Amino acid sequence: MVTISVSDETIRTAELVAIERQVNHLPIFADYDMETVRQVAQTVYKLMEDEDGLDTLFAMIRAALPEKLYETAYALACDVAVADVKLGQSELRLLEEVREELDIDRLHAAAIERGARARHMTL
């Protein structure tokens, strides 16, 4: 979620609120606190500055996250990406990389993406 937020080099308030809301309300984050999120964010910021940081980040994600939660991770990333109702090319490229790295089936990814878009539509 943090990586998607920083992918366009602008962390928007809507994205931060989306991350906080997910951490505070989803069962998967029951044992998380905001200090852990801050630590993760600092790690992501440092990795994004490195040339091979994204590869390192994906390796860390695959090592820490059970495969059964890959689609959940992708769904959370999509929710953060569309939280500010502006999807830039950098966010779209990163979502594509996440999809590939986590081996998300294209049909499942399309459904996840459509659900995220529907949840964040405005009038």
Side-chain angles (χ1 to χ4, degrees):
M1 291 185 296
V2 173
T3 307
I4 290 295
S5 181
V6 300
S7 67
D8 61 0
E9 298 177 4
T10 305
I11 303 170
R12 292 183 171 76
T13 302
E15 294 168 333
L16 292 175
V17 169
I19 292 169
E20 184 175 4
R21 184 176 51 242
Q22 290 172 351
V23 170
N24 286 335
H25 294 98
L26 294 177
I28 191 110
F29 295 112
D31 296 330
Y32 256 63
D33 63 20
M34 289 314 287
E35 185 55 37
T36 303
V37 174
R38 285 185 200 92
Q39 292 170 359
V40 168
Q42 289 173 345
T43 301
V44 169
Y45 298 148
K46 288 177 186 174
L47 287 172
M48 295 301 276
E49 292 174 356
D50 292 343
E51 186 175 326
D52 297 326
L54 198 53
D55 292 332
T56 302
L57 180 65
F58 284 133
M60 291 171 67
I61 290 169
R62 283 190 306 274
L65 193 63
E67 189 174 335
K68 70 179 187 176
L69 295 178
Y70 284 4
E71 286 183 352
T72 302
Y74 186 66
L76 295 174
C78 287
D79 279 343
V80 170
V82 298
D84 62 356
V85 194
K86 297 175 185 170
L87 266 175
Q89 287 301 313
S90 57
E91 289 172 310
L92 290 170
R93 274 193 306 274
L94 184 55
L95 284 173
E96 182 179 352
E97 287 186 59
V98 171
R99 231 181 6 252
E100 290 173 10
E101 289 290 329
L102 298 181
D103 196 28
I104 305 294
D105 176 83
R106 188 66 194 124
L107 186 58
H108 295 175
I112 291 167
E113 292 160 7
R114 181 64 183 117
R117 194 174 109 198
R119 281 189 296 280
H120 293 276
M121 285 186 143
T122 60
L123 293 176

